[in-house]
Amino acid sequence: DQQSCTGSYIIYNEAYDIMGQEGILNCAATANASWNIDTVGDVPTGCASDYLISVTNSTSSDNLASAGYGQTTIDLAAPGSSILSTTSTSGYSSYTGTSMATPQVTGAIALMYAAAGEDVINESIINPAKVALEMKNLLLTEGVDTQGLSGNITQTVSQGRLNLRKAVEAAENVTVTSLLGDLNNDGSINVL
């Protein structure tokens, strides 16, 4: 039975959409199994909210390490193998998984907002949902590497892996004019 953000899990989609209207992008870690999430489903990474960024993990050789993928549900890969992290005993250890990759994307989004110009930040106060969707769009179109990648890592919406430098540079170059230029007649933004 495919798990999705419908039925008893519909609250997930609604929560992401409500937060998104306030300008909040959420990142979620997908399954730590080589599953096509488009087919088998996953909660929450199978949710349809435009304000959710679903993340899978990549290795240093740009492969997926036993991680979910999906051309319509999983947005991008990020480094998630052998990541040094804190432990509950005040130490450090190396971990692997989508839960190690997802904070990389969360941090990238924070840096993108920090790199954006003052006019974009002011616009995010007036139109937080619009700016959030634009940041997501920039991340998925200009903030990933796709060249030379193959296999399941390309089986994502962006077909690539996070490139922090590209993401931050894209945010530095975005203007309110370019934000407004991406608007559809109904006020929405085309998102990958």
Side-chain angles (χ1 to χ4, degrees):
D1 188 23
Q2 180 181 0
Q3 291 189 357
S4 67
C5 294
T6 59
S8 57
Y9 295 105
I10 198 163
I11 188 101
Y12 281 88
N13 253 352
E14 292 172 357
Y16 293 129
D17 286 343
I18 290 167
M19 287 185 281
Q21 291 303 309
E22 300 301 321
I24 299 170
L25 289 173
N26 284 275
C27 296
T30 194
N32 286 311
S34 296
W35 296 337
N36 183 339
I37 304 304
D38 293 351
T39 304
V40 301
D42 183 50
V43 175
T45 59
C47 289
S49 176
D50 287 338
Y51 302 97
L52 175 67
I53 299 172
S54 297
V55 183
T56 190
N57 72 307
S58 62
T59 67
S60 60
S61 57
D62 283 330
N63 295 309
L64 294 188
S66 188
Y69 57 93
Q71 292 181 320
T72 62
T73 52
I74 307 304
D75 291 306
L76 77 161
S81 296
S82 301
I83 303 296
L84 190 61
S85 185
T86 57
T87 66
S88 60
T89 58
S90 302
Y92 297 92
S93 191
S94 183
Y95 297 100
T96 295
T98 58
S99 292
M100 295 290 103
T102 303
Q104 312 285 347
V105 177
T106 303
I109 293 166
L111 286 172
M112 289 173 71
Y113 270 91
E118 187 175 341
D119 61 333
V120 174
I121 299 306
N122 289 335
E123 185 68 20
S124 73
I125 294 167
I126 300 165
N127 294 303
K130 177 178 66 173
V131 175
L133 289 178
E134 180 63 17
M135 288 297 186
K136 178 182 178 182
N137 188 50
L138 283 174
L139 175 68
L140 298 182
T141 59
E142 298 184 37
V144 294
D145 281 332
T146 57
Q147 295 295 91
L149 301 179
S150 62
N152 285 352
I153 196 169
T154 65
Q155 301 282 321
T156 61
V157 174
S158 67
Q159 300 180 353
R161 176 200 16 87
L162 173 68
N163 181 314
L164 182 59
R165 180 179 180 173
K166 286 182 177 180
V168 169
E169 287 175 351
E172 285 176 329
N173 295 321
V174 73
T175 64
V176 171
T177 303
S178 68
L179 284 173
L180 296 175
D182 289 340
L183 281 177
N184 296 321
N185 289 335
D186 64 359
S188 65
I189 294 176
N190 289 327
V191 177
L192 267 179

